[in-house]
Amino acid sequence: MNNDIDVSVQLAGLKFKSPVIVSSSECGSDLSQVKILTKMNVGGIVTKTFTTPGEFRIRVRPYQFPLNKFGRGFKEGGSLYSLAAPHVEERDQILDKVSMMAGICRKYSVVLIVSFFEDPTNISNWVKQAKAFEKAGADMIELNFSSPSAVTVFSKSFRQAGAIISEIKKYTSFPIGMKISPTIEPLESFVSIGKNAGLDFITAHNAPGGIIIDVENEVPFGAPTIGGYVMGRTFLPYSLGRIVRIRKSSDIPIIGVGGIYRTDDALQYLLCGCPLVGIGSALYFRGFKVVDKIHSGITRWMRNKGYKNIDEFKGKAYNFIKDGISLKSEEKYPHVVPPDCPYVPVIKSEKCNLCGRCAETCIYKVITVDKEKSLINIDDNKCWSCGFCVGICPSSAITLVERANRGKIIWNNEGLAETFK
Ligand SMILES: Cc1cc2nc3c(=O)[nH]c(=O)nc-3n(C[C@H](O)[C@H](O)[C@H](O)COP(=O)(O)O)c2cc1C
Protein backbone atom coordinates (compact mmCIF):
# COMPACT_ATOMS: atom_id res chain seq x y z
CA MET A 1 0.00 0.00 0.00
CA ASN A 2 2.77 2.42 0.97
CA ASN A 3 5.20 1.38 -1.78
CA ASP A 4 4.53 4.52 -3.76
CA ILE A 5 5.45 6.77 -0.83
CA ASP A 6 9.04 7.11 0.36
CA VAL A 7 9.28 8.36 3.94
CA SER A 8 13.00 7.70 4.28
CA VAL A 9 15.33 10.55 5.20
CA GLN A 10 19.07 11.14 4.90
CA LEU A 11 20.97 12.85 7.67
CA ALA A 12 24.75 13.16 7.86
CA GLY A 13 25.14 10.42 5.24
CA LEU A 14 22.95 7.93 7.09
CA LYS A 15 19.60 6.64 5.89
CA PHE A 16 16.65 6.69 8.29
CA LYS A 17 13.75 4.56 7.09
CA SER A 18 11.28 6.85 8.88
CA PRO A 19 11.50 10.51 9.90
CA VAL A 20 10.25 9.45 13.34
CA ILE A 21 12.92 8.59 15.89
CA VAL A 22 12.88 7.85 19.61
CA SER A 23 14.34 10.73 21.61
CA SER A 24 16.65 10.08 24.54
CA SER A 25 14.95 8.76 27.68
CA GLU A 26 14.78 5.59 29.72
CA CYS A 27 12.87 4.09 26.74
CA GLY A 28 16.28 3.75 25.08
CA SER A 29 18.13 2.34 28.04
CA ASP A 30 17.41 -1.37 27.95
CA LEU A 31 17.68 -4.10 25.38
CA SER A 32 14.12 -5.26 25.92
CA GLN A 33 12.80 -1.79 25.07
CA VAL A 34 15.10 -1.43 22.08
CA LYS A 35 13.89 -4.82 20.80
CA ILE A 36 10.26 -3.65 20.91
CA LEU A 37 11.02 -0.27 19.37
CA THR A 38 13.07 -1.66 16.47
CA LYS A 39 10.08 -3.70 15.35
CA MET A 40 8.08 -0.51 15.00
CA ASN A 41 8.33 2.12 12.29
CA VAL A 42 11.19 4.07 13.79
CA GLY A 43 14.05 5.54 11.80
CA GLY A 44 16.38 5.68 14.77
CA ILE A 45 16.71 5.31 18.51
CA VAL A 46 18.61 7.69 20.75
CA THR A 47 19.82 5.90 23.85
CA LYS A 48 19.41 7.15 27.38
CA THR A 49 22.21 9.61 28.17
CA PHE A 50 25.19 7.64 29.43
CA THR A 51 27.88 9.13 31.65
CA THR A 52 30.80 7.93 33.73
CA PRO A 53 31.11 10.11 36.85
CA GLY A 54 29.14 8.55 39.71
CA GLU A 55 27.88 11.93 40.92
CA PHE A 56 26.00 12.43 37.61
CA ARG A 57 24.37 9.02 37.87
CA ILE A 58 22.61 9.44 41.21
CA ARG A 59 18.97 8.52 40.81
CA VAL A 60 16.50 9.60 43.50
CA ARG A 61 13.33 7.54 43.73
CA PRO A 62 10.53 7.95 42.96
CA TYR A 63 11.48 10.14 40.04
CA GLN A 64 8.53 10.30 37.62
CA PHE A 65 5.46 12.37 38.47
CA PRO A 66 2.79 12.77 35.78
CA LEU A 67 0.88 16.00 36.37
CA ASN A 68 -2.55 14.56 35.51
CA LYS A 69 -4.08 15.56 38.82
CA PHE A 70 -3.43 19.24 38.10
CA GLY A 71 -6.23 19.40 35.57
CA ARG A 72 -7.26 18.60 32.05
CA GLY A 73 -4.62 20.75 30.34
CA PHE A 74 -1.78 18.98 32.12
CA LYS A 75 -3.37 15.57 31.55
CA GLU A 76 -4.06 16.03 27.86
CA GLY A 77 -0.76 17.80 27.29
CA GLY A 78 1.22 14.92 28.77
CA SER A 79 3.03 16.96 31.41
CA LEU A 80 5.65 15.24 33.48
CA TYR A 81 7.69 16.43 36.41
CA SER A 82 10.67 14.12 36.18
CA LEU A 83 13.90 13.73 38.11
CA ALA A 84 15.35 11.17 35.71
CA ALA A 85 19.12 11.57 35.71
CA PRO A 86 21.58 10.01 33.27
CA HIS A 87 21.91 6.26 33.20
CA VAL A 88 22.82 4.44 36.40
CA GLU A 89 25.11 1.55 35.42
CA GLU A 90 28.91 1.47 35.13
CA ARG A 91 30.86 2.11 31.94
CA ASP A 92 31.66 -1.50 31.01
CA GLN A 93 28.04 -2.58 31.35
CA ILE A 94 26.98 0.33 29.17
CA LEU A 95 29.48 -0.48 26.43
CA ASP A 96 28.31 -4.12 26.36
CA LYS A 97 24.75 -2.91 26.17
CA VAL A 98 25.49 -0.46 23.35
CA SER A 99 27.15 -3.16 21.31
CA MET A 100 24.09 -5.44 21.74
CA MET A 101 21.73 -2.55 20.94
CA ALA A 102 23.78 -1.85 17.81
CA GLY A 103 23.36 -5.47 16.71
CA ILE A 104 19.58 -5.33 17.16
CA CYS A 105 19.27 -1.96 15.43
CA ARG A 106 21.38 -3.11 12.49
CA LYS A 107 19.12 -6.14 11.99
CA TYR A 108 16.08 -3.88 11.61
CA SER A 109 17.85 -1.04 9.75
CA VAL A 110 17.31 1.35 12.63
CA VAL A 111 19.99 3.98 13.26
CA LEU A 112 21.46 3.83 16.76
CA ILE A 113 22.37 7.22 18.21
CA VAL A 114 24.23 7.09 21.50
CA SER A 115 23.64 10.01 23.82
CA PHE A 116 26.29 10.79 26.39
CA PHE A 117 27.57 13.42 28.71
CA GLU A 118 30.81 13.91 30.64
CA ASP A 119 32.23 16.60 32.85
CA PRO A 120 32.40 19.57 30.43
CA THR A 121 35.85 20.52 31.70
CA ASN A 122 37.30 17.05 31.01
CA ILE A 123 37.63 16.96 27.22
CA SER A 124 39.77 13.83 27.11
CA ASN A 125 37.00 11.87 28.78
CA TRP A 126 34.51 13.01 26.11
CA VAL A 127 36.92 11.80 23.44
CA LYS A 128 37.54 8.48 25.22
CA GLN A 129 33.82 7.80 25.51
CA ALA A 130 33.06 8.80 21.92
CA LYS A 131 35.74 6.44 20.62
CA ALA A 132 34.40 3.62 22.79
CA PHE A 133 30.83 4.12 21.53
CA GLU A 134 32.00 4.19 17.93
CA LYS A 135 33.90 0.93 18.49
CA ALA A 136 30.82 -0.58 20.19
CA GLY A 137 28.81 0.00 17.01
CA ALA A 138 26.94 3.28 17.50
CA ASP A 139 25.99 4.86 14.16
CA MET A 140 26.22 8.40 15.48
CA ILE A 141 26.53 10.22 18.80
CA GLU A 142 24.49 12.94 20.40
CA LEU A 143 26.49 14.99 22.87
CA ASN A 144 24.10 15.88 25.62
CA PHE A 145 24.88 19.58 26.05
CA SER A 146 21.42 20.12 27.46
CA SER A 147 21.78 18.89 31.02
CA PRO A 148 21.65 21.58 33.72
CA SER A 149 25.35 21.10 34.61
CA ALA A 150 26.40 21.36 30.95
CA VAL A 151 24.33 24.50 30.50
CA THR A 152 25.95 26.10 33.55
CA VAL A 153 29.44 25.53 32.11
CA PHE A 154 28.65 26.25 28.45
CA SER A 155 26.72 29.44 29.13
CA LYS A 156 29.96 30.81 30.63
CA SER A 157 32.13 29.41 27.84
CA PHE A 158 30.66 28.49 24.47
CA ARG A 159 34.24 27.77 23.37
CA GLN A 160 34.36 24.79 25.70
CA ALA A 161 31.47 23.19 23.77
CA GLY A 162 33.29 23.85 20.49
CA ALA A 163 36.51 22.39 21.88
CA ILE A 164 34.73 19.16 22.91
CA ILE A 165 33.20 18.76 19.44
CA SER A 166 36.36 19.47 17.48
CA GLU A 167 38.47 17.21 19.68
CA ILE A 168 35.99 14.31 19.27
CA LYS A 169 35.95 14.98 15.51
CA LYS A 170 39.71 14.47 15.36
CA TYR A 171 39.51 10.95 16.76
CA THR A 172 36.26 9.55 15.37
CA SER A 173 34.67 9.25 11.96
CA PHE A 174 30.96 8.93 12.70
CA PRO A 175 28.48 11.86 12.66
CA ILE A 176 28.35 14.00 15.78
CA GLY A 177 25.41 16.03 17.00
CA MET A 178 24.69 18.10 20.06
CA LYS A 179 21.46 18.21 22.00
CA ILE A 180 20.74 21.67 23.25
CA SER A 181 18.84 23.17 26.12
CA PRO A 182 15.86 25.42 25.37
CA THR A 183 17.42 28.12 27.55
CA ILE A 184 20.89 28.52 26.02
CA GLU A 185 21.44 32.09 24.78
CA PRO A 186 22.52 33.70 22.56
CA LEU A 187 21.29 30.68 20.63
CA GLU A 188 22.69 31.72 17.26
CA SER A 189 26.22 32.13 18.67
CA PHE A 190 26.08 28.73 20.35
CA VAL A 191 24.96 27.12 17.10
CA SER A 192 27.70 28.85 15.15
CA ILE A 193 30.38 27.59 17.59
CA GLY A 194 29.05 24.06 17.01
CA LYS A 195 28.97 24.50 13.25
CA ASN A 196 32.54 25.84 13.15
CA ALA A 197 33.68 22.88 15.22
CA GLY A 198 32.34 20.50 12.56
CA LEU A 199 29.01 19.44 14.05
CA ASP A 200 26.82 17.24 11.82
CA PHE A 201 23.43 17.87 13.42
CA ILE A 202 21.63 19.53 16.30
CA THR A 203 18.90 17.99 18.40
CA ALA A 204 16.56 20.68 19.63
CA HIS A 205 15.45 20.50 22.39
CA ASN A 206 15.58 18.99 25.78
CA ALA A 207 12.68 20.18 27.90
CA PRO A 208 12.87 22.91 30.51
CA GLY A 209 12.93 22.26 34.25
CA GLY A 210 10.37 23.48 36.73
CA ILE A 211 8.48 22.79 39.91
CA ILE A 212 4.82 22.44 40.83
CA ILE A 213 3.11 22.94 44.19
CA ASP A 214 0.41 20.74 45.70
CA VAL A 215 -1.73 23.45 47.28
CA GLU A 216 -3.96 21.06 49.23
CA ASN A 217 -0.95 19.71 51.08
CA GLU A 218 0.95 23.02 50.87
CA VAL A 219 4.19 21.36 49.72
CA PRO A 220 6.06 20.84 46.43
CA PHE A 221 4.46 18.02 44.43
CA GLY A 222 6.44 14.79 44.37
CA ALA A 223 9.95 15.94 45.19
CA PRO A 224 11.21 19.13 46.85
CA THR A 225 13.44 20.42 44.06
CA ILE A 226 13.33 21.88 40.57
CA GLY A 227 12.93 18.87 38.31
CA GLY A 228 13.88 18.44 34.72
CA TYR A 229 11.54 17.92 31.82
CA VAL A 230 8.36 19.76 32.64
CA MET A 231 7.32 19.19 29.08
CA GLY A 232 4.42 18.07 27.01
CA ARG A 233 2.50 19.39 24.03
CA THR A 234 2.59 22.99 25.25
CA PHE A 235 6.37 22.90 24.76
CA LEU A 236 5.96 22.47 20.99
CA PRO A 237 5.57 26.11 19.86
CA TYR A 238 8.49 27.16 22.05
CA SER A 239 10.79 24.44 20.75
CA LEU A 240 9.70 25.05 17.15
CA GLY A 241 10.24 28.81 17.50
CA ARG A 242 13.84 28.25 18.52
CA ILE A 243 14.34 25.79 15.67
CA VAL A 244 13.22 28.49 13.24
CA ARG A 245 15.84 30.79 14.80
CA ILE A 246 18.53 28.14 14.34
CA ARG A 247 17.51 27.60 10.72
CA LYS A 248 17.63 31.34 10.03
CA SER A 249 21.24 31.41 11.18
CA SER A 250 22.64 28.06 10.03
CA ASP A 251 22.08 25.25 7.54
CA ILE A 252 22.91 22.54 10.06
CA PRO A 253 20.29 19.74 10.04
CA ILE A 254 18.02 19.74 13.09
CA ILE A 255 16.28 16.84 14.79
CA GLY A 256 13.08 18.46 16.07
CA VAL A 257 12.02 17.40 19.57
CA GLY A 258 9.44 18.80 21.95
CA GLY A 259 5.77 18.13 22.51
CA ILE A 260 5.26 15.63 19.70
CA TYR A 261 2.24 13.51 20.60
CA ARG A 262 0.35 13.33 17.31
CA THR A 263 0.98 13.20 13.58
CA ASP A 264 0.28 16.89 13.06
CA ASP A 265 2.76 17.76 15.82
CA ALA A 266 5.47 15.85 13.95
CA LEU A 267 4.47 17.38 10.61
CA GLN A 268 4.93 20.87 12.03
CA TYR A 269 8.62 20.17 12.57
CA LEU A 270 9.01 18.61 9.10
CA LEU A 271 7.25 21.58 7.51
CA CYS A 272 9.69 23.84 9.34
CA GLY A 273 12.58 21.96 7.74
CA CYS A 274 13.61 19.31 10.29
CA PRO A 275 14.54 16.07 8.51
CA LEU A 276 13.78 14.03 11.64
CA VAL A 277 11.54 14.31 14.68
CA GLY A 278 12.14 12.79 18.10
CA ILE A 279 9.43 11.46 20.38
CA GLY A 280 10.06 11.86 24.12
CA SER A 281 7.42 11.91 26.83
CA ALA A 282 4.63 10.76 24.48
CA LEU A 283 6.14 7.27 24.75
CA TYR A 284 5.31 7.41 28.44
CA PHE A 285 1.85 8.92 28.16
CA ARG A 286 0.65 7.16 25.01
CA GLY A 287 2.74 3.97 25.06
CA PHE A 288 5.32 2.84 22.49
CA LYS A 289 2.63 2.44 19.82
CA VAL A 290 2.59 6.22 19.47
CA VAL A 291 5.63 6.05 17.14
CA ASP A 292 3.81 3.71 14.76
CA LYS A 293 0.73 5.91 14.86
CA ILE A 294 2.74 9.01 14.02
CA HIS A 295 4.67 7.22 11.27
CA SER A 296 1.53 5.92 9.59
CA GLY A 297 -0.18 9.28 10.10
CA ILE A 298 2.64 10.97 8.19
CA THR A 299 2.33 8.42 5.37
CA ARG A 300 -1.45 8.93 5.21
CA TRP A 301 -1.08 12.71 5.18
CA MET A 302 1.48 12.47 2.37
CA ARG A 303 -0.84 10.26 0.35
CA ASN A 304 -3.75 12.67 0.82
CA LYS A 305 -1.57 15.59 -0.23
CA GLY A 306 -0.05 13.71 -3.17
CA TYR A 307 3.51 13.80 -1.86
CA LYS A 308 5.85 10.99 -2.86
CA ASN A 309 8.75 11.82 -0.57
CA ILE A 310 9.59 14.02 2.44
CA ASP A 311 11.71 16.49 0.45
CA GLU A 312 8.61 17.54 -1.49
CA PHE A 313 7.20 19.30 1.57
CA LYS A 314 10.08 19.60 4.06
CA GLY A 315 10.53 23.23 5.07
CA LYS A 316 7.48 24.44 3.12
CA ALA A 317 5.99 26.36 6.09
CA TYR A 318 9.41 27.64 7.15
CA ASN A 319 9.64 29.57 3.88
CA PHE A 320 6.74 31.78 5.00
CA ILE A 321 8.23 32.71 8.35
CA LYS A 322 9.45 36.29 8.69
CA ASP A 323 11.02 38.01 11.62
CA GLY A 324 8.76 40.17 13.79
CA ILE A 325 10.44 43.42 12.74
CA SER A 326 9.71 42.92 9.03
CA LEU A 327 6.16 41.85 9.81
CA LYS A 328 5.63 45.08 11.74
CA SER A 329 7.26 47.17 9.05
CA GLU A 330 4.77 45.82 6.49
CA GLU A 331 1.67 46.57 8.63
CA LYS A 332 -0.80 48.78 6.73
CA TYR A 333 -2.54 50.17 9.83
CA PRO A 334 0.22 50.36 12.44
CA HIS A 335 -1.28 52.92 14.82
CA VAL A 336 -5.06 52.83 14.42
CA VAL A 337 -7.38 52.47 17.42
CA PRO A 338 -11.15 51.84 17.61
CA PRO A 339 -13.41 52.92 15.97
CA ASP A 340 -11.03 52.95 12.98
CA CYS A 341 -9.56 49.43 13.26
CA PRO A 342 -9.72 47.67 9.89
CA TYR A 343 -11.32 44.30 10.69
CA VAL A 344 -14.46 43.31 12.60
CA PRO A 345 -16.13 40.03 13.55
CA VAL A 346 -19.19 38.68 11.79
CA ILE A 347 -21.22 35.84 13.25
CA LYS A 348 -22.87 33.19 11.12
CA SER A 349 -26.27 32.91 12.79
CA GLU A 350 -26.83 29.37 11.48
CA LYS A 351 -23.73 28.18 13.35
CA CYS A 352 -24.04 30.31 16.52
CA ASN A 353 -25.72 28.60 19.49
CA LEU A 354 -25.60 31.73 21.67
CA CYS A 355 -23.28 30.04 24.15
CA GLY A 356 -21.77 33.43 24.96
CA ARG A 357 -18.06 32.40 25.03
CA CYS A 358 -17.18 35.31 22.73
CA ALA A 359 -19.01 37.83 24.90
CA GLU A 360 -17.49 36.48 28.13
CA THR A 361 -13.96 36.56 26.79
CA CYS A 362 -13.83 39.70 24.61
CA ILE A 363 -11.89 42.08 26.85
CA TYR A 364 -13.04 45.06 24.72
CA LYS A 365 -16.69 44.11 25.27
CA VAL A 366 -17.46 44.22 21.56
CA ILE A 367 -19.93 41.32 21.68
CA THR A 368 -23.01 41.03 23.88
CA VAL A 369 -25.42 38.12 23.99
CA ASP A 370 -29.02 38.22 25.19
CA LYS A 371 -29.86 34.55 25.60
CA GLU A 372 -33.49 35.19 26.53
CA LYS A 373 -34.18 37.15 23.39
CA SER A 374 -31.78 35.00 21.34
CA LEU A 375 -29.95 38.13 20.31
CA ILE A 376 -26.27 38.75 19.70
CA ASN A 377 -24.93 42.23 19.18
CA ILE A 378 -21.58 43.42 17.86
CA ASP A 379 -20.36 46.92 18.59
CA ASP A 380 -17.85 47.39 15.75
CA ASN A 381 -16.75 50.72 17.13
CA LYS A 382 -15.06 49.07 20.11
CA CYS A 383 -13.24 46.39 18.11
CA TRP A 384 -9.41 46.31 18.00
CA SER A 385 -9.42 43.71 15.14
CA CYS A 386 -7.51 41.30 17.37
CA GLY A 387 -9.11 38.04 16.17
CA PHE A 388 -9.49 36.38 19.59
CA CYS A 389 -13.25 35.74 19.21
CA VAL A 390 -12.63 33.76 16.01
CA GLY A 391 -10.48 31.21 17.77
CA ILE A 392 -12.49 31.05 21.00
CA CYS A 393 -15.88 30.29 19.38
CA PRO A 394 -16.59 26.57 19.99
CA SER A 395 -18.83 26.31 16.92
CA SER A 396 -16.61 28.17 14.43
CA ALA A 397 -19.35 30.72 13.91
CA ILE A 398 -17.16 33.83 13.91
CA THR A 399 -15.04 35.20 11.08
CA LEU A 400 -12.97 38.37 11.03
CA VAL A 401 -13.73 40.39 7.91
CA GLU A 402 -12.66 43.68 6.40
CA ARG A 403 -14.71 46.50 7.94
CA ALA A 404 -14.87 48.40 4.66
CA ASN A 405 -15.68 45.39 2.53
CA ARG A 406 -17.67 42.90 4.61
CA GLY A 407 -17.24 40.11 2.11
CA LYS A 408 -13.49 39.85 2.45
CA ILE A 409 -12.43 37.27 5.03
CA ILE A 410 -9.30 38.19 6.96
CA TRP A 411 -9.15 35.36 9.52
CA ASN A 412 -11.21 32.21 9.85
CA ASN A 413 -8.97 30.20 12.21
CA GLU A 414 -7.17 28.44 9.34
CA GLY A 415 -3.73 28.86 7.82
CA LEU A 416 -2.25 32.33 7.56
CA ALA A 417 -4.40 35.40 8.21
CA GLU A 418 -5.10 37.16 4.91
CA THR A 419 -3.23 40.31 6.02
CA PHE A 420 0.08 38.45 6.12
CA LYS A 421 -0.13 36.71 2.76
C1 LIG B 1 11.65 10.46 31.51
C2 LIG B 1 12.51 11.23 30.58
C3 LIG B 1 13.88 11.04 30.58
C4 LIG B 1 14.68 11.76 29.73
N1 LIG B 1 16.01 11.54 29.71
C5 LIG B 1 16.81 12.21 28.83
C6 LIG B 1 18.19 11.93 28.73
O1 LIG B 1 18.73 11.07 29.43
N2 LIG B 1 18.92 12.63 27.84
C7 LIG B 1 18.37 13.59 27.03
O2 LIG B 1 19.08 14.18 26.23
N3 LIG B 1 17.04 13.85 27.08
C8 LIG B 1 16.26 13.19 27.96
N4 LIG B 1 14.91 13.44 28.00
C9 LIG B 1 14.38 14.54 27.19
C10 LIG B 1 13.69 14.05 25.90
O3 LIG B 1 14.58 13.38 25.05
C11 LIG B 1 13.08 15.25 25.16
O4 LIG B 1 14.13 16.09 24.73
C12 LIG B 1 12.14 16.08 26.02
O5 LIG B 1 11.37 15.24 26.83
C13 LIG B 1 11.23 16.94 25.15
O6 LIG B 1 10.48 16.14 24.28
P1 LIG B 1 8.94 15.75 24.57
O7 LIG B 1 8.21 17.03 24.75
O8 LIG B 1 8.55 14.95 23.38
O9 LIG B 1 8.92 14.94 25.82
C14 LIG B 1 14.10 12.70 28.85
C15 LIG B 1 12.71 12.85 28.83
C16 LIG B 1 11.92 12.12 29.67
C17 LIG B 1 10.45 12.27 29.61
Side-chain angles (χ1 to χ4, degrees):
M1 272 297 276
N2 292 337
N3 290 347
D4 55 329
I5 294 178
D6 179 9
V7 289
S8 69
V9 167
Q10 295 279 339
L11 184 135
L14 290 173
K15 182 178 174 179
F16 292 74
K17 64 183 179 184
S18 166
V20 182
I21 71 167
V22 173
S23 190
S24 178
S25 80
E26 276 68 9
C27 299
S29 62
D30 271 316
L31 290 175
S32 54
Q33 295 156 333
V34 168
K35 273 183 191 155
I36 300 170
L37 288 166
T38 44
K39 289 184 188 130
M40 298 183 155
N41 281 305
V42 292
I45 297 175
V46 186
T47 65
K48 178 69 191 163
T49 295
F50 300 129
T51 193
T52 52
E55 68 269 26
F56 295 148
R57 286 187 279 121
I58 296 168
R59 178 113 5 160
V60 296
R61 291 148 216 265
Y63 55 89
Q64 305 283 43
F65 306 97
L67 302 183
N68 286 13
K69 75 167 245 176
F70 288 87
R72 221 173 77 190
F74 286 100
K75 186 173 173 190
E76 288 169 7
S79 303
L80 182 68
Y81 168 62
S82 166
L83 300 175
H87 208 259
V88 181
E89 292 138 295
E90 298 293 335
R91 181 175 190 266
D92 289 349
Q93 288 169 284
I94 293 304
L95 289 175
D96 286 348
K97 208 179 247 189
V98 167
S99 106
M100 283 187 271
M101 284 179 180
I104 301 166
C105 285
R106 216 168 294 123
K107 187 166 161 203
Y108 292 95
S109 306
V110 170
V111 175
L112 180 68
I113 305 162
V114 170
S115 161
F116 79 97
F117 167 73
E118 292 297 324
D119 174 352
T121 60
N122 187 346
I123 297 185
S124 61
N125 219 20
W126 285 86
V127 174
K128 182 176 160 199
Q129 289 304 99
K131 282 163 71 180
F133 288 131
E134 184 171 37
K135 195 165 164 219
D139 296 306
M140 26 202 313
I141 44 170
E142 184 176 276
L143 309 176
N144 187 353
F145 287 177
S146 64
S147 72
S149 31
V151 173
T152 311
V153 173
F154 295 145
S155 49
K156 289 192 197 107
S157 166
F158 282 10
R159 279 176 199 282
Q160 188 68 10
I164 293 170
I165 297 163
S166 48
E167 208 53 24
I168 294 176
K169 273 266 162 199
K170 274 191 212 156
Y171 296 98
T172 57
S173 54
F174 59 178
I176 298 175
M178 66 172 178
K179 179 155 184 189
I180 59 170
S181 149
T183 58
I184 197 94
E185 286 294 349
L187 176 62
E188 290 77 3
S189 313
F190 193 58
V191 166
S192 118
I193 293 270
K195 167 102 181 160
N196 293 341
L199 204 64
D200 297 289
F201 69 95
I202 290 178
T203 302
H205 294 95
N206 207 326
I211 191 160
I212 192 155
I213 307 297
D214 181 335
V215 295
E216 208 40 53
N217 293 292
E218 303 174 31
V219 289
F221 178 67
T225 186
I226 294 169
Y229 322 131
V230 184
M231 78 296 281
R233 288 195 75 220
T234 48
F235 180 46
L236 189 150
Y238 183 81
S239 181
L240 200 55
R242 292 180 65 90
I243 285 172
V244 169
R245 279 177 61 192
I246 299 173
R247 287 213 63 212
K248 296 266 176 209
S249 72
S250 164
D251 58 358
I252 213 157
I254 305 166
I255 303 181
V257 184
I260 302 177
Y261 278 63
R262 311 191 314 204
T263 299
D264 49 351
D265 299 334
L267 285 167
Q268 291 190 50
Y269 283 93
L270 299 177
L271 284 162
C272 279
C274 296
L276 295 169
V277 292
I279 316 294
S281 50
L283 291 159
Y284 289 73
F285 286 94
R286 306 281 193 264
F288 284 10
K289 64 179 185 309
V290 73
V291 289
D292 263 348
K293 279 194 173 169
I294 293 174
H295 172 92
S296 49
I298 292 173
T299 315
R300 219 173 16 254
W301 180 88
M302 285 172 68
R303 172 166 302 106
N304 289 342
K305 294 273 183 179
Y307 292 125
K308 297 267 182 265
N309 62 61
I310 304 266
D311 280 341
E312 285 179 5
F313 67 90
K314 194 180 82 186
K316 211 170 161 184
Y318 170 81
N319 297 330
F320 290 92
I321 305 174
K322 301 174 179 177
D323 65 82
I325 294 171
S326 13
L327 202 65
K328 284 183 179 173
S329 70
E330 288 161 17
E331 173 59 37
K332 272 204 309 198
Y333 311 97
H335 301 119
V336 293
V337 294
D340 297 322
C341 295
Y343 318 123
V344 291
V346 290
I347 300 179
K348 290 193 187 101
S349 54
E350 67 281 10
K351 283 193 172 179
C352 174
N353 59 12
L354 294 170
C355 73
R357 273 303 275 151
C358 52
E360 265 163 36
T361 56
C362 174
I363 62 160
Y364 307 109
K365 300 297 166 211
V366 173
I367 306 174
T368 43
V369 177
D370 184 334
K371 290 193 184 181
E372 276 173 22
K373 292 188 187 152
S374 294
L375 277 178
I376 188 152
N377 184 56
I378 298 177
D379 184 351
D380 286 355
N381 290 333
K382 291 184 181 166
C383 183
W384 278 80
S385 309
C386 77
F388 189 87
C389 55
V390 178
I392 206 77
C393 174
S395 46
S396 306
I398 309 181
T399 314
L400 200 66
V401 300
E402 207 165 58
R403 181 193 286 269
N405 167 10
R406 299 274 162 159
K408 186 165 179 204
I409 295 174
I410 298 297
W411 175 233
N412 63 357
N413 221 15
E414 303 252 344
L416 264 182
E418 190 60 30
T419 355
F420 307 123
K421 285 184 185 161

